Amino acid sequence: MRRVRDEPGGLRGEPPPRWARIAPAAALVALVLAQALTTDVELGFFLAGLPPVAAFAYGAAGTAIFAAIVLVLLGVHDIGVAHARGTDLATVAVVGVLSVVIAWVRQRRDAQLVSVRTVAEAAQLAVLPPVPERVGPVRCSGLYRAAQRGTLVGGDLYDVRAGPYGVRALVGDVQGHGLAAVATVGALLGAFREAVIDDTGLGAVAARLDRRLVADAAAASVEHPELFATAVLLEFPPGLDVVRIVSCGHPSALRVRGPAVEEVVVDPGPPLGLGLAGPSPPKVTELVVRPGDQLLLHTDGVTEARDATGHFYPLADRVPVLARDPEGLVGAVWRDLFAFTNGGPNDDVALLLLSLDGREPST
């Protein structure tokens, strides 16, 4: 399951692009050749600007070698590139030293950035690990894209867990997105994973998640934090070809049955965090699952994405066509959504595809 956008190598700990390393050397050779072919204009002094450029592509040692080559070309008159003397050479030498310092500082900054990002990725993946291909008799496929560039986790969440009461799944969308919502995502996922083991009914799971958000909102330092989340909960009870669904103000799931796609109609409940699940638990809807049925769960980052003309993404209309993609429905939806919005939506996106085939994983 892919959740990370491709990013420049500098943020991933990779070396600079090859063109960035070749450009200073190519410019040096070009200037030397141009000076050899031109006698009327002195071009050699343009070489003094190359060490600072090299500092952004090379390390301190490489930049120092580059600066030394420039000094030799400018200072040794017999080479015929330039005729620098006295203060001119001193100026070029100072520029070279500053370039080496810049390269050293850049290297240290990049090393620190790689270290911080590695820790952040480990922490984010611990909060929202990739969904496995199979959980018990349920086949799974998921995709996550955070709206905030450079992060793996935003305000959307999902999880699929097996427990004594069957396989349970959660897809949710907390208030806000980006790093500010990660703490709430972690709290909801932790409560859900406990509920998978402890709570006998799906309504009790929703009530536990609701209490978690109410307690967190009451403990928040800001006044009236209005902490809430929409969510949909699913349960595949053991030995039964049914799925139980609880909706807490969340967009409807889609059932894909062959070429037909329809919204799963359930009794809507209030969003989590409003304190309403305790006295009046949300109703549980039970749906018969046939072989080959697929349930596509999503967040509103999918259906509320707009194209250049302001039209919403027609997920239900696109799924019948995208379901024929040999690479899988989830990836096909994301590619289609990316093209529809010309670069991806501005909100977090979560997609989770579940199907019950009745087979337990081999041990």
Side-chain angles (χ1 to χ4, degrees):
M1 180 194 66
R2 298 185 57 206
R3 284 207 307 254
V4 185
R5 290 189 174 100
D6 295 332
E7 296 185 7
L11 294 181
R12 302 289 301 167
E14 300 171 359
R18 180 177 297 179
W19 65 265
R21 299 177 65 86
I22 294 175
L28 186 148
V29 173
L31 285 172
V32 171
L33 292 177
Q35 185 62 74
L37 299 174
T38 304
T39 57
D40 299 335
V41 181
E42 188 167 331
L43 303 174
F45 286 101
F46 285 103
L47 294 172
L50 296 182
V53 176
F56 290 97
Y58 292 86
T63 303
I65 294 173
F66 208 96
I69 293 173
V70 169
L71 278 175
V72 170
L73 292 174
L74 294 179
V76 179
H77 301 164
D78 292 339
I79 298 177
V81 175
H83 301 84
R85 300 178 182 276
T87 56
D88 292 334
L89 280 177
T91 301
V92 174
V94 170
V95 171
V97 172
L98 291 177
S99 300
V100 172
V101 172
I102 291 173
W104 179 77
V105 171
R106 181 187 61 79
Q107 275 189 312
R108 287 181 58 86
R109 184 209 62 185
D110 288 350
Q112 292 173 348
L113 183 59
V114 169
S115 177
V116 169
R117 183 174 178 86
T118 300
V119 173
E121 287 183 350
Q124 290 175 331
L125 287 173
V127 172
L128 192 62
V131 64
E133 293 183 359
R134 177 187 290 274
V135 178
V138 179
R139 297 184 63 86
C140 314
S141 178
L143 180 142
Y144 194 102
R145 291 292 186 276
Q148 184 171 334
R149 188 174 180 84
T151 62
L152 301 180
V153 181
D156 291 356
L157 65 144
Y158 57 59
D159 200 4
V160 184
R161 299 276 165 163
Y165 309 105
V167 175
R168 288 172 172 172
L170 164 69
V171 174
D173 183 359
V174 308
Q175 177 195 24
H177 55 79
L179 294 177
V182 174
T184 306
V185 168
L188 280 175
L189 287 172
F192 171 73
R193 290 161 188 169
E194 292 179 356
V196 167
I197 299 173
D198 297 335
D199 294 332
T200 57
L202 207 55
V205 177
R208 180 191 289 257
L209 300 183
D210 181 71
R211 292 194 302 270
R212 176 73 274 166
L213 289 188
V214 171
D216 288 350
S221 58
V222 297
E223 186 177 0
H224 305 301
E226 297 180 352
L227 186 62
F228 66 91
T230 66
V232 60
L233 293 156
L234 275 74
E235 178 182 85
F236 296 87
L240 299 177
D241 292 335
V242 300
V243 60
R244 296 168 182 153
I245 306 174
V246 166
S247 176
C248 301
H250 199 77
S252 299
L254 297 179
R255 180 172 61 183
V256 184
R257 177 174 289 174
V261 176
E262 62 178 350
E263 288 190 354
V264 177
V265 179
V266 299
D267 292 324
L272 302 172
L274 301 182
L276 302 178
S280 179
K283 295 182 179 179
V284 178
T285 300
E286 189 168 282
L287 186 70
V288 176
V289 179
R290 298 178 183 175
D293 283 359
Q294 300 181 92
L295 294 171
L296 180 62
L297 304 124
H298 59 89
T299 55
D300 59 10
V302 178
T303 51
E304 293 185 1
R306 297 173 182 260
D307 63 7
T309 62
H311 292 92
F312 290 110
Y313 180 69
L315 177 63
D317 295 335
R318 297 295 298 151
V319 166
V321 177
L322 301 174
R324 297 194 293 266
D325 193 306
E327 296 185 13
L329 176 58
V330 167
V333 170
W334 169 250
R335 291 189 294 273
D336 190 57
L337 179 63
F338 191 89
F340 180 84
T341 57
N342 192 26
N346 296 321
D347 196 3
D348 301 324
V349 167
L351 292 164
L352 183 63
L353 185 68
L354 304 173
S355 60
L356 178 67
D357 61 15
R359 294 186 296 110
E360 294 288 346
S362 58
T363 56

